[in-house]
Amino acid sequence: IIIYQPSFLTSYGCRKEMFQMSFKIVQDIYSPEEFKDEIPMSSELKKVKAERDEALKNVICGKDKRFLVIVGPCSASDEDAVCDYTYRLAQLNDKVKDKLFIVPRIYTNKPRTTGEGYKGMLHQPDPTKGANILAGIRALRKMHIRAIKETHLTAADEMLYPENYAFLDDILSYVAIGARSVENQQHRLVSSGIEVPVGMKNPTSGDFSVMLNSIKAAQSGHTFLYRSHEVSTSGNPYAHAVLRGSVNKHGQLQQNYHYEDMTLLADMYHQANLEFPFVVVDANHANSKKKFDEQPRIIKEVLHSRKINSTLHNLVRGVMIESFIEEGNQKPDGGVYGKSITDACLGWDDTEKLLYYIAENA
């Protein structure tokens, strides 16, 4: 690709010269089918996933009245710690499974606003070393499958790169579309072909109409280019809204989990005439203003709003929580077992108390 600098840039001290950019092939990546053959889901685990998928769809469409809780570390960077955490969730799940539907967050892609920093297990299976995407795909499949085998809980992951979803489409029960991706056409179109629920966050601007347009696109059928093929989709009726807060024009974090925000979204959802209206509140990110220990207070406010408004009770039926074994966060080479190396997380003890509270009050 050759790009020429416009002549007017010379007035700002830029040299008038030719710049060249290039792509360098580092290594070839196997096809999704080859990875699935190499690191397969057993027939037993496929059955577990099918049962979980059906149950979660029933939660979204309202046949199952359990409250959805998507909970886990900001980024899954350590297989042993992630599986340890997921095992703890499974033990707790046995006690609250009649009231809650718990989905572990096992996020293997980490969006970076500037492109700098740890980008998740897909890029760096070892956070202290450089990128190795081939090894990363192996590592994330191995971790996801181990977590299911040890706990029978199928997980959520973020679809940061639409073309990479094919490496995990036999494993995940929930897919998240992030605030920076929800306006992207390819994310919307690929979501229309996903067979499990997809949570679409409001964009960083906070514009609810953008989020609802994304949901409408995901719920509709399309024909488009995907992984070297012309494909067609029938639409995903289980695409739904996730409130995560926003950033205003001054770069300040703004919350959108308050009663007034949710009632406004309820009206807009009704006017949009979408299938299976369903809202999840993300208690961290801009909603907590990146103060991880605010998450319990936020969730308690959301549950209170549901109690006093029947419309919200029927619409707002899930939360997202960033949580790990140890609270807070550390640098990638910090060495503390079970502590986030990206955004700060709620610790296990507080998470356990919070999940019991949700089960009693949702």
Side-chain angles (χ1 to χ4, degrees), residues 50-282:
E51 292 173 352
R52 288 264 298 173
D53 289 354
E54 186 64 24
L56 182 51
K57 290 176 182 178
N58 286 337
V59 170
I60 301 293
C61 73
K63 293 180 182 178
D64 187 327
K65 299 302 182 181
R66 285 180 289 178
F67 193 79
L68 175 62
V69 179
I70 302 166
V71 56
C74 173
S75 184
S77 58
D78 180 333
E79 178 184 319
D80 288 338
V82 167
C83 289
D84 180 350
Y85 178 90
T86 308
Y87 181 78
R88 298 180 192 208
L89 275 184
Q91 297 296 105
L92 189 152
N93 182 65
D94 288 340
K95 301 173 184 177
V96 299
K97 61 185 177 183
D98 292 338
K99 296 183 178 181
L100 303 183
F101 191 93
I102 295 178
V103 177
R105 276 178 58 110
I106 302 182
Y107 281 26
T108 56
N109 299 279
K110 175 63 180 174
R112 311 304 307 202
T113 304
T114 65
E116 298 176 329
Y118 176 66
K119 297 183 178 68
M121 183 175 283
L122 174 78
H123 284 265
Q124 294 169 260
D126 184 336
T128 65
K129 297 181 180 179
N132 187 333
I133 291 175
L134 181 63
I137 297 171
R138 286 194 176 107
L140 65 87
R141 278 194 65 86
K142 181 172 174 284
M143 177 175 62
H144 269 290
I145 291 173
R146 176 183 167 187
I148 300 171
K149 184 176 181 180
E150 294 179 358
T151 68
H152 281 197
L153 295 180
T154 47
D157 201 344
E158 180 174 357
M159 188 173 72
L160 186 57
Y161 310 105
E163 65 272 22
N164 292 347
Y165 174 67
F167 297 118
L168 287 174
D169 60 7
D170 60 328
I171 290 174
L172 301 178
S173 284
Y174 186 96
V175 175
I177 307 298
R180 297 166 187 80
S181 302
V182 74
E183 297 187 68
N184 179 269
Q185 185 77 349
Q186 192 74 348
H187 282 82
R188 295 178 175 191
L189 299 185
V190 172
S191 295
S192 74
I194 292 175
E195 296 183 350
V196 298
V198 175
M200 312 197 84
K201 292 191 174 185
N202 62 259
T204 53
S205 69
D207 190 334
F208 286 176
S209 64
V210 169
M211 176 176 62
L212 293 172
N213 286 338
S214 298
I215 296 169
K216 182 176 181 179
Q219 290 189 353
S220 305
H222 302 279
T223 299
F224 57 100
L225 177 66
Y226 183 61
R227 296 190 64 90
S228 303
H229 299 285
E230 179 182 333
V231 300
S232 63
T233 60
S234 57
N236 182 351
Y238 303 101
H240 60 272
V242 180
L243 297 181
R244 53 85 71 198
S246 61
V247 182
N248 68 16
K249 64 181 181 180
H250 303 295
Q252 298 167 323
L253 300 177
Q254 303 289 309
Q255 299 159 328
N256 62 10
Y257 63 85
H258 296 303
Y259 183 88
E260 295 80 6
D261 299 304
M262 294 192 295
T263 53
L264 172 61
L265 179 57
D267 291 340
M268 294 177 70
Y269 231 130
H270 177 73
Q271 294 169 12
N273 196 31
L274 298 167
E275 291 192 70
F276 307 143
F278 191 92
V279 173
V280 172
V281 174
D282 180 347

Side-chain angles (χ1 to χ4, degrees), residues 306-325:
R306 294 179 76 247
K307 281 185 178 180
I308 63 175
N309 185 312
S310 60
T311 298
L312 295 184
H313 189 273
N314 293 327
L315 177 68
V316 182
R317 291 184 280 128
V319 291
M320 283 186 177
I321 306 165
E322 289 200 324
S323 156
F324 211 3
I325 297 170

